[in-house]
Amino acid sequence: MKLAPIPRDEAQRLAALRRYELLDTPPETVYDDLTRLAAHVCETPIALISLVDAERQWFKSCFGPFPAETDRSCSFCGHAVFAGKLLMVPDATRDDRFVDNPLVTGELEIRFYASTPLVSYDGYALGTLCVMDRRPRELSPQQIEMLSALGRLAMSQMELRLRITEQARIEKQLAESAELRRAILDSANYSIISCRPDGVIRAMNAAAVRWLGYRSEDVVGKKTPEIFHDHCELEQRAAALTTELGRPVAAGFAALVAKVCLGITEEREWSYLTAAGRHFPVQLSTTSLCNTAGEITGFLFIASDITERKQVELAKSEFVSVVSHELRTPLTSIRGSLGLIEGGAVGEVPPKMVRLVEIARANTDRLVRLINDILDLAKIESGKLELQMHPLDPAALVAEAVAEIKGMADQVHVHLGWSSDPSWTGHSPRLLGDHDRLLQVLINLLSNAIKVSPPEGVIETRVEAAGATSIRISVRDQGPGIPPHELSRLFGKFHQIDSSDARSRSGTGLGLAISKAIVDEHRGTIGIETEEGKGSTFWFEIPLPPDEWAPAAANDAR
Amino acid sequence: MTLRKILLVDDEADIRLVAEISLSSLGGWQVIQAASGPEALDLASRELPDLVLLDVMMPGMDGPTTLLRLRGLAGGEATPVIFMTAKVQRAEIDRLLSLGVRGLIPKPFDPMTLPREILRILGA
């Protein structure tokens, strides 16, 4: 017996066969009808739909007396699959490929065999539609044609079956993935709302429904997220956006997405308004969804409830405020009593006591400054610095600071000088800032400079243009300078330069941290240039509003 | 307006003592004291002070309420009032100054300069 050769791409062929998931499945009427038709057309007692597996041939349909499967070694179809085209064996006893085949020599006594291969869409012969007879014979050309046509029908049935199976699998996967997505969305402790480009709500997750108190069928497809917002807040935001973007923004849905329409993801605090009219604070992150062409296909609003965080912030700020007040009350008595004694208001102080009273009073003052600074820092850290921005003349600010600190400088014989940019003839640019806070920064830098200055030292304060779009204010001292290893911690909290000089220890160690926070709030930068033994220059730069830019920069911007 | 008689209102006796010494021995003014809002209103209606130095945080009737009641008293409508407060947050100060007072002195104050500070606030 001659074994059928194995096709060269057998592994891929078998993979293709497995893809159809037909092997060992129950009979199906459509295939049985096809074999019945084939047998009838070809006038044979046997017709099979045979699938050639690795070690066997298995029959999806079997018309006539034949086993359910046979070993591949004795299969006719193995040869047909290798040939990949119509195979006809008129008399197996006269064909040395099949003469000793058990199907021929055994009780089945097969003599005639004809088959058309079942070729998958990607070109693999998976098996055959074959007909067999116990007597030698041939098929007429019409019968061959019909057998081929039935074979193609069988194959297209298999393809159809595959498509349906795949479709069902995809649908199942889609359903599972939708279910998973839904579960994730609904278990998330975020309100998630998606909208169409026109703002109409597409979907809301469980948290959104729960928090906002609307039934989703009342809002999905009907409303925009505008209904979840306080109208006053929308108006304020719209007004701010109108100014910022230089075009009118309506106080509705547009105010929620004006920024993200420009491709920026926006993260802001908002109030959400429930169906029952209750407000609660949220951190709302807004994203625009885009297709590959860059067109906006929708918006996503993800909000977390920050009620608790807000309460903690409030409690913290109230705590600091109460502590500050409670500390101040006994300090008022102490400071007052010491002041009256030191000032001689209650009789002359014995000479031996003068210095001690002064120490007590000075340290009380220091304690008060420390409380003020801690209060400031607490405000900065809770984001409650709330700058009051007004146009300011930077030169006037410097003059005011220098005048205010002059008493302290005079006491230790330090000289203060200041100058403004020589190119500002008569009119200096106006920066937009908080007068009291910027004065606080300047006073802090000046008092630090005084503390490190040698007697008769000079402190030079300059206010000048830094490029065309910023103002730079610098304070240069003739102190010892700052060693490099101190620089990185300089603007940190409770940082003080090691020094044996009592004057430099009268501060709180918070001044530069507060100054940096104030400058940061002005979107400015603060820094230092220093050389040990030669002194330091502390400086800060505050950006100018665009209408105060120097002409060159303004032209560049246009 | 001549400043002769000052009504000092504070629930802390220690603070009243310190302020009283400063106001009388350095300022040369007559000082009458009240430890609470109601006491202050009673004294104000009888003594008609030229100035009220008014603490803000007091148990019971606080400074702003006392101020409101004072304005309702015969003779108290126009009495100059200066708040003295340990509340120094800017928002708080702005709110207090909007209540119709002449000024505000933060605590702790320097008793050696307190009379001068008062005169400065009153613009005298």
Side-chain angles (χ1 to χ4, degrees), chain A residues 70-139:
Chain A
T70 73
D71 203 83
R72 184 171 178 174
S73 61
C74 64
S75 94
F76 283 71
C77 297
H79 292 271
V81 160
F82 182 77
K85 57 182 186 191
L86 188 103
L87 174 69
M88 184 145 69
V89 182
D91 186 351
T93 56
R94 291 168 184 273
D95 189 320
D96 44 341
R97 289 176 295 180
F98 305 111
V99 67
D100 54 351
N101 189 304
L103 297 175
V104 178
T105 56
E107 60 187 36
L108 281 168
E109 293 179 350
I110 299 300
R111 294 291 176 271
F112 166 76
Y113 171 92
S115 74
T116 181
L118 302 174
V119 181
S120 71
Y121 67 90
D122 48 354
Y124 296 105
L126 309 175
T128 65
L129 170 64
C130 62
V131 289
M132 293 185 220
D133 204 341
R134 292 200 181 82
R135 57 186 175 89
R137 52 167 295 179
E138 287 197 18
L139 291 184

Side-chain angles (χ1 to χ4, degrees), chain A residues 326-345:
Chain A
E326 292 305 310
L327 289 173
R328 237 171 253 278
T329 301
L331 274 172
T332 303
S333 305
I334 298 170
R335 174 64 180 81
S337 302
L338 289 168
L340 289 170
I341 298 168
E342 188 190 24

Side-chain angles (χ1 to χ4, degrees), chain A residues 117-369:
Chain A
L118 302 174
V119 181
S120 71
Y121 67 90
D122 48 354
Y124 296 105
L126 309 175
T128 65
L129 170 64
C130 62
V131 289
M132 293 185 220
D133 204 341
R134 292 200 181 82
R135 57 186 175 89
R137 52 167 295 179
E138 287 197 18
L139 291 184
S140 70
Q142 289 90 338
Q143 283 174 319
I144 290 173
E145 205 173 295
M146 294 305 273
L147 184 65
S148 301
L150 288 170
R152 287 193 297 274
L153 263 178
M155 191 62 228
S156 62
Q157 271 306 321
M158 286 163 62
E159 298 288 3
L160 191 61
R161 191 181 187 282
L162 173 64
R163 294 283 166 272
I164 292 169
T165 318
E166 274 177 353
Q167 188 69 32
R169 188 180 303 127
I170 288 167
E171 270 165 21
K172 187 160 169 263
Q173 277 172 356
L174 278 177
E176 277 170 7
S177 115
E179 208 170 298
L180 178 66
R181 202 178 51 200
R182 193 76 223 165
I184 291 170
L185 286 176
D186 283 349
S187 61
N189 201 19
Y190 291 94
S191 153
I192 302 172
I193 300 168
S194 86
C195 292
R196 301 196 314 227
D198 65 356
V200 172
I201 296 168
R202 245 187 220 137
M204 295 169 76
N205 75 338
V209 169
R210 200 167 58 239
W211 293 359
L212 293 163
Y214 287 90
R215 293 190 311 170
S216 70
E217 59 266 36
D218 291 342
V219 290
V220 170
K222 294 175 184 156
K223 305 279 187 187
T224 82
E226 188 184 337
I227 60 162
F228 308 136
H229 285 267
D230 178 278
H231 195 69
C232 292
E233 259 183 46
L234 281 174
E235 267 177 7
Q236 281 172 13
R237 182 66 187 140
L241 284 166
T242 301
T243 314
E244 188 182 333
L245 304 176
R247 60 173 174 83
V249 175
F253 183 72
L256 294 172
V257 296
K259 267 285 182 62
V260 292
C261 283
L262 304 172
I264 311 156
T265 294
E266 197 179 27
E267 183 97 13
R268 295 184 67 78
E269 285 184 15
W270 284 93
S271 294
Y272 259 0
L273 183 61
T274 69
R278 188 179 67 86
H279 286 82
F280 65 97
V282 292
Q283 180 80 24
L284 179 63
S285 131
T286 312
T287 317
S288 60
L289 307 172
C290 293
N291 61 17
T292 44
E295 294 155 340
I296 291 177
T297 56
F299 299 100
L300 204 55
F301 298 89
I302 303 179
S304 58
D305 184 344
I306 54 169
T307 307
E308 216 163 289
R309 191 176 95 198
K310 284 280 169 193
Q311 281 165 348
V312 169
E313 270 174 24
L314 190 67
K316 185 181 162 194
S317 119
E318 267 173 10
F319 176 76
V320 171
S321 163
V322 167
V323 166
S324 146
H325 178 269
E326 292 305 310
L327 289 173
R328 237 171 253 278
T329 301
L331 274 172
T332 303
S333 305
I334 298 170
R335 174 64 180 81
S337 302
L338 289 168
L340 289 170
I341 298 168
E342 188 190 24
V346 286
E348 201 171 322
V349 186
K352 277 185 163 174
M353 217 183 276
V354 169
R355 178 72 188 126
L356 293 178
V357 173
E358 190 202 325
I359 289 171
R361 196 266 310 142
N363 279 285
T364 310
D365 284 345
R366 186 174 161 193
L367 208 48
V368 174
R369 283 198 300 275

Side-chain angles (χ1 to χ4, degrees), chain A residues 321 328 332-333 336 339 343 434, chain B residues 14-15 86 88-90 107 111-112:
Chain A
S321 163
R328 237 171 253 278
T332 303
S333 305
D434 185 314
Chain B
D14 295 349
I15 294 178
V88 293
Q89 307 217 44
R90 190 148 70 172
K107 290 177 183 174
M112 298 309 290

